[in-house]
Amino acid sequence: MRRKQAAGPRLVMAGALLALLGLLWGSQMLKAFDYFSSWKGDGEQQMYKLDISWPKIPEYFSGQTFCVAVDSLHGLVYVGQRGDDVPKVLVFSEEGYFLYSWNDTVEMPHGIFVSNTATDSSVWITDVGSGKYGHTVKQYSPSGKLLQVLGTPGNAGSSLNPLQFDQPAEVFVEENGEMYIVDGDGGINNRLLKLSQDYKEIWLSGENGTGIGQFKIPHSVTVDPFGRVWVADRDNRRIQVFDKVTGEWLGAWSSCFSEDGPYSVRFTGNYKYLIVAHLNINRLAILAAPPVGEIGDCAIVSTIQLADETKPHLVDVDMKSGAIYIAEIGAQQVQRFVPLS
């Protein structure tokens, strides 16, 4: 009778082989997971806390605070507000002290942006008023002196020559002077416009609709260092992304916005995250920013839930400190949230 051979050595060898394959497969999976999670995140986490000391005297907010812009270079914060017999622009220090205000030629500020170049600083405001200063994008000195008017004041339109707007929502200006304007906030235009340093059209994208490159109230715009323009397509409940050189459509995010459309888009100082404001659910969402060359779909890394009826409208980020400033039209204030680390 033939004796059975011991299975021990074979089992040991098979086990070792499986273990080796498992290690190799596992290392590849870990690499894939690390790449994916490096920009998608691994679940929500608390990233910011409210700075209750900012501003020092909240009573200076005397109207509806629609927009806020941070001058990280000079440590200033500009707030645009609306209302009868109220200063339309308030200026604070980054520590929260009120400095001064100005009001001339500003009717109904909607968006505000600070532009710093090697030689000077300026403040750009989109004005959606229907009076003699409305339907314009205007450049001011830090003290409020009017420097430049784009559009036909008091007259809405869609013309590119002369340049016209209808309730322009927001403007973003690059260091080289090129600018991106989302037009408009409920008017006849639904478009993204790129202008040169001398305010000539470079490219134009968009019309009213739900298709690729179309908009329903393009409400906010920002640019990343990788040549991509990000637009909050508010009523379509998505963010659309374009090539900043050609205007070519690169992709869109929609899955994160089932509850409410995006009202504001701003990157953090390290460009790892995109801050999005949701007015109707009183919330800020912090989304993972995709790496170069990839749009994919959105992933929420963290949220900031605000009080009921706060209504965050537009936000800005201090690119040095990382602080988020939120203009809240419901609470009629600007709040500052600072990073936990």
Side-chain angles (χ1 to χ4, degrees):
M1 184 173 66
R2 182 179 292 179
R3 295 176 60 183
K4 293 183 178 179
Q5 292 184 352
R10 292 183 179 178
L11 289 175
V12 170
M13 291 180 61
L17 181 59
L18 287 172
L20 179 60
L21 290 173
L23 285 172
L24 292 173
W25 181 83
S27 66
Q28 295 300 315
M29 287 299 293
L30 282 173
K31 287 180 181 179
F33 178 78
D34 287 342
Y35 172 78
F36 182 80
S37 62
S38 66
W39 72 273
K40 283 279 187 177
D42 55 359
E44 287 194 30
Q45 53 187 300
Q46 186 178 359
M47 299 174 61
Y48 294 88
K49 65 179 180 180
L50 175 65
D51 181 357
I52 60 174
S53 68
W54 204 100
K56 303 301 182 186
I57 304 177
E59 287 75 17
Y60 280 106
F61 299 132
S62 51
Q64 280 191 307
T65 48
F66 267 75
C67 49
V68 59
V70 182
D71 182 350
S72 302
L73 184 62
H74 300 99
L76 300 175
V77 180
Y78 294 83
V79 177
Q81 62 176 10
R82 300 184 197 173
D84 297 330
D85 301 319
V86 302
K88 298 302 171 61
V89 179
L90 309 174
V91 187
F92 295 85
S93 70
E94 63 180 350
E95 295 82 15
Y97 293 101
F98 174 76
L99 300 177
Y100 55 90
S101 64
W102 36 277
N103 199 45
D104 292 342
T105 69
V106 182
E107 189 176 342
M108 292 181 65
H110 187 278
I112 189 168
F113 185 87
V114 175
S115 172
N116 285 310
T117 66
T119 56
D120 60 7
S121 299
S122 59
V123 181
W124 288 88
I125 293 177
T126 60
D127 196 328
V128 298
S130 56
K132 61 180 181 179
Y133 301 125
H135 304 299
T136 54
V137 179
K138 291 173 284 195
Q139 180 189 29
Y140 294 87
S141 72
S143 61
K145 179 183 178 181
L146 181 63
L147 303 175
Q148 182 68 245
V149 179
L150 305 181
T152 51
N155 295 301
S158 302
S159 171
L160 296 175
N161 188 21
L163 186 60
Q164 289 185 308
F165 305 105
D166 187 357
Q167 301 182 44
E170 197 177 57
V171 58
F172 187 99
V173 185
E174 294 197 274
E175 290 185 8
N176 65 1
E178 294 179 342
M179 64 175 57
Y180 306 83
I181 300 169
V182 279
D183 174 37
D185 183 40
I188 58 175
N189 300 327
N190 282 275
R191 60 187 185 178
L192 167 64
L193 180 64
K194 180 176 182 180
L195 300 180
S196 64
Q197 298 172 342
D198 56 354
Y199 315 120
K200 304 297 183 183
E201 177 200 357
I202 296 178
W203 52 258
L204 174 69
S205 179
E207 59 184 1
N208 183 52
T210 60
I212 290 177
Q214 296 179 327
F215 300 108
K216 281 192 174 180
I217 305 188
H219 199 259
S220 181
V221 59
T222 193
V223 179
D224 68 20
F226 313 118
R228 300 177 297 196
V229 185
W230 299 73
V231 178
D233 187 4
R234 195 186 83 185
D235 282 14
N236 278 328
R237 294 194 176 189
R238 64 185 177 184
I239 290 175
Q240 297 199 71
V241 190
F242 300 84
D243 184 284
K244 81 170 191 177
V245 175
T246 64
E248 176 189 0
W249 186 87
L250 299 178
W253 285 353
S254 59
S255 63
C256 293
F257 313 122
S258 59
E259 291 184 85
D260 190 25
Y263 273 70
S264 185
V265 285
R266 282 292 182 270
F267 283 98
T268 55
N270 56 14
Y271 292 94
K272 289 184 178 180
Y273 305 103
L274 186 67
I275 311 297
V276 177
H278 296 286
L279 182 141
N280 296 298
I281 56 176
N282 306 297
R283 184 184 302 161
L284 259 62
I286 295 94
L287 309 181
V292 180
E294 181 174 347
I295 301 300
D297 205 353
C298 55
I300 298 175
V301 176
S302 183
T303 58
I304 299 174
Q305 187 61 53
L306 305 170
D308 290 347
E309 301 303 319
T310 298
K311 298 189 181 302
H313 185 247
L314 291 174
V315 307
D316 203 11
V317 175
D318 187 328
M319 302 302 272
K320 284 187 176 180
S321 71
I324 303 172
Y325 293 82
I326 310 168
E328 303 166 351
I329 61 177
Q332 298 191 14
Q333 65 181 4
V334 170
Q335 292 195 95
R336 179 168 102 152
F337 284 78
V338 296
L340 288 175
S341 59

